[in-house]
Amino acid sequence: QNNREDGWIMRLEILMTAVIFFGGSCLTGYALRRLLHFKQEGFLFSIVAGVMCWWALMELVLVPMIMAMASFSGFVAVYTALVLACAAAGCFCWKEILADAKQAAGSVRSCVTPGHVAALGLILWQLYFIHHHMYLEWDDAYYVNLANEAVRSDLIYWVYPETGAITDFDKRYVLSLWPIFYAWLSKLTGVMPTIMAHTVFPWLMIPLAGMVYELIGRRLFPKDRQLQGMFLAMAVLLHLFMSGEHIAGITFLTLTPWVGKGVLAAILIPMLFYWILRTAEAEGRGLWIMLGITCLGGCLLSSMGIMLTPVFVGVTVCLQNIRKRSLRYLLSGAAACFPCVVLGIYYICLTH
């Protein structure tokens, strides 16, 4: 009887967190769309754009508050207020929301292909696998416990997570405190950070990765829904066979979707590729702003992201510019990488 009740409580916690995460990010995405003049992009675009905005906003708020030795509860208050403001702004975009809902309802049959059905089945299998076969390794003692200590002690990174001692922050990771994101969700929902990371978070990150791959497929094969479905199914299938061991696999989204490096590799860098595809087609100012927001969001996920995202964007922009031969295109790409460059210089100053 108790096990059955605990199971229902866990399902409700997953559902509640998913509604907050996907609902709030979707409304934030609609606010961004109106601000940056994106029209007829749909729900998936709005959700993914909203998530990128949330992560970039957290990096902007979190770094100065850590340096000011602010409390975790103070950070939660400031960041939650900003996220609520973004979501509230999205509520005023009800016309766009209704238009997208009507378009989605009218095109369900024509848009769903066997590839999409297969991809959905594979995503559900991923979720079943990680829900019933939890993967634990040494990073949990540091990263997950960092979130635990933030909630318990009300200090952000001033308690060393492996010993519980009050100490100076570890300069290697202080600019990329991804565990604070699920500590924030824990504070909002009342779910323990360890349970949030291992049990709830996969239900957010794995579907989010599928949304990103669907957006990429739409850009690669804009006129062929069958190929879009096949691309999505193949992208999801690769995660099932490329995970392997945590540090040996090409990607470990199926194993540890709560680890920042895994989210960086499986979600954020593919999203950078999506924005590069968009800017190659049309150089709208909104696209470059979203590319810059995504780059900044990558800095939150991992200290590797501070260096890797500008390298990825810089190389792809330079390669694309061989065809375009446009100084403006190069300068726009450099401007999108500017937040990473600033944080990279600050990182070098902190560690040397």
Side-chain angles (χ1 to χ4, degrees):
Q1 181 72 23
N2 290 335
N3 289 337
R4 186 173 296 178
E5 290 178 359
D6 291 342
W8 278 110
I9 291 171
M10 182 56 62
R11 293 184 184 97
L12 288 174
E13 289 173 345
I14 292 171
L15 179 62
M16 175 177 60
T17 309
V19 169
I20 292 172
F21 181 76
F22 290 115
S25 59
C26 184
L27 290 174
T28 302
Y30 273 99
L32 272 176
R33 281 177 52 183
R34 176 171 289 190
L35 182 66
L36 301 178
H37 306 292
F38 288 111
K39 297 180 179 179
Q40 297 179 340
E41 296 286 352
F43 287 117
L44 294 187
F45 178 94
S46 300
I47 291 171
V48 175
V51 171
M52 297 301 118
C53 181
W54 277 19
W55 292 349
L57 186 61
M58 176 166 279
E59 182 73 358
L60 282 176
V61 174
L62 186 58
V63 171
M65 291 194 75
I66 293 173
M67 298 306 165
M69 300 183 65
S71 65
F72 177 67
S73 56
F75 162 77
V76 169
V78 172
Y79 183 66
T80 303
L82 291 172
V83 166
L84 284 175
C86 293
C91 293
F92 292 99
C93 304
W94 58 272
K95 290 184 179 179
E96 292 91 333
I97 296 172
L98 288 177
D100 286 343
K102 288 180 181 178
Q103 184 179 2
S107 60
V108 169
R109 291 186 178 180
S110 60
C111 289
V112 176
T113 67
H116 288 91
V117 174
L120 178 61
L122 290 169
I123 289 172
L124 291 175
W125 167 248
Q126 277 184 289
L127 292 169
Y128 173 84
F129 176 84
I130 200 168
H131 192 73
H132 289 83
H133 304 280
M134 186 181 298
Y135 180 84
L136 300 171
E137 42 79 40
W138 58 86
D139 271 355
D140 288 0
Y142 191 92
Y143 296 110
V144 176
N145 207 33
L146 194 153
N148 281 322
E149 286 296 340
V151 174
R152 185 194 67 83
S153 67
D154 202 30
L155 298 173
I156 308 174
Y157 209 34
W158 290 95
V159 177
Y160 194 69
E162 292 180 343
T163 64
I166 302 292
T167 182
D168 191 8
F169 54 73
D170 190 336
K171 297 177 177 64
R172 295 173 299 165
Y173 308 121
V174 70
L175 301 181
S176 306
L177 290 185
W178 167 245
I180 300 300
F181 184 73
Y182 50 83
W184 171 70
L185 285 173
S186 298
K187 196 73 171 179
L188 292 185
T189 59
V191 180
M192 289 178 60
T194 303
I195 296 174
M196 177 62 70
H198 285 277
T199 306
V200 179
F201 223 57
W203 293 85
L204 309 181
M205 293 299 107
I206 291 175
L208 181 63
M211 295 177 191
V212 172
Y213 305 148
E214 170 64 14
L215 290 176
I216 293 173
R218 291 178 184 179
R219 283 293 149 184
L220 292 176
F221 313 105
K223 297 180 181 179
D224 194 328
R225 283 297 291 171
Q226 297 292 334
L227 282 177
Q228 291 173 25
M230 292 170 64
F231 174 82
L232 177 61
M234 180 58 68
V236 176
L237 183 66
L238 289 175
H239 280 293
L240 296 177
F241 292 96
M242 291 198 308
S243 291
E245 189 184 350
H246 174 189
I247 58 173
I250 298 174
T251 172
F252 39 92
L253 183 70
T254 304
L255 293 179
T256 55
W258 55 87
V259 174
K261 291 185 289 292
V263 179
L264 177 72
I267 296 176
L268 193 125
I269 290 179
M271 199 59 203
L272 291 175
F273 178 66
Y274 172 78
W275 295 123
I276 293 294
L277 287 176
R278 293 286 300 262
T279 57
E281 297 171 4
E283 298 181 42
R285 180 168 41 170
L287 293 172
W288 289 115
I289 292 174
M290 285 307 307
L291 180 61
I293 288 173
T294 306
C295 284
L296 182 58
C299 298
L300 174 72
L301 300 178
S302 169
S303 53
M304 184 189 303
I306 297 175
M307 303 299 175
L308 189 57
T309 51
V311 169
F312 178 84
V313 171
V315 170
T316 52
V317 165
C318 287
L319 289 174
Q320 183 61 32
N321 200 55
I322 295 174
R323 179 178 66 88
K324 285 184 171 290
R325 297 180 181 179
S326 168
L327 179 61
R328 180 180 177 182
Y329 187 81
L330 275 178
L331 293 176
S332 298
C337 297
F338 183 72
C340 300
V341 174
V342 172
L343 285 171
I345 293 171
Y346 188 40
Y347 179 83
I348 293 170
C349 294
L350 281 174
T351 55
H352 291 80

